[in-house]
Amino acid sequence: QVVLVESGGGLVQAGGSLRLSCAIRTTSSYPMGWFRQAPGKEREFVAAITWSGDSTYYAESVKGRFTISKDNAENAMYLQMNSLKPEDTAVYYCAASSSGRWPRQRLNEYDYWGQGTQVTVSS
């Protein structure tokens, strides 16, 4: 059983920063990731991280601007988002993957999802 709760979304101007948090409640050691879904679009992969945090993987659209990290002592995962653009506007979801090959960037590799947090970037 995995329970995930996101927080930290909000409204920010283009060029600004936000830090999303995902509170994790689980006894498993699954790789985890962030996805996002903009209005009228399919949910897309943003970033993934191993349970230990020693490996990360990013979508090309966010590479160099976003940083995924984990703090297992705090039972949390984070997404630091810098240099935000209007096209980053979406609902952001954290997720956990019980199976699949690394890097886990496919939607169907993730079994557990949070409720999402809205990020809006104004131009």
Side-chain angles (χ1 to χ4, degrees), residues 9-14 18 81 84-86 88-92 117-123:
L11 173 64
V12 64
Q13 289 188 329
L18 275 177
M81 305 185 294
L84 282 161
K85 305 175 182 179
D88 294 318
T89 295
V91 177
Y92 283 71
T117 185
Q118 176 71 47
V119 171
T120 303
V121 184
S122 63
S123 57

Side-chain angles (χ1 to χ4, degrees), residues 6 27 37-38 53 70 77-78 91 100 107 123:
E6 303 95 335
T27 56
Q37 188 165 18
K70 288 181 84 269
M77 178 176 68
Y78 305 100
V91 177
L107 201 67
S123 57

Side-chain angles (χ1 to χ4, degrees), residues 7 11 25 43 61 67 71 97 101-102 109:
S7 61
L11 173 64
R25 192 161 75 230
R43 194 169 298 188
S61 59
T67 302
D71 185 337
S97 169
R101 300 185 66 173
W102 182 260
E109 291 180 311

Side-chain angles (χ1 to χ4, degrees), residues 18-22 34-35 46-47 58 62 66-69 77-81 92:
L18 275 177
R19 187 195 195 204
L20 304 183
S21 298
C22 176
W34 287 97
F35 287 74
V46 175
Y58 296 92
V62 305
F66 291 10
T67 302
I68 188 172
S69 63
M77 178 176 68
Y78 305 100
L79 186 68
Q80 177 67 42
M81 305 185 294
Y92 283 71

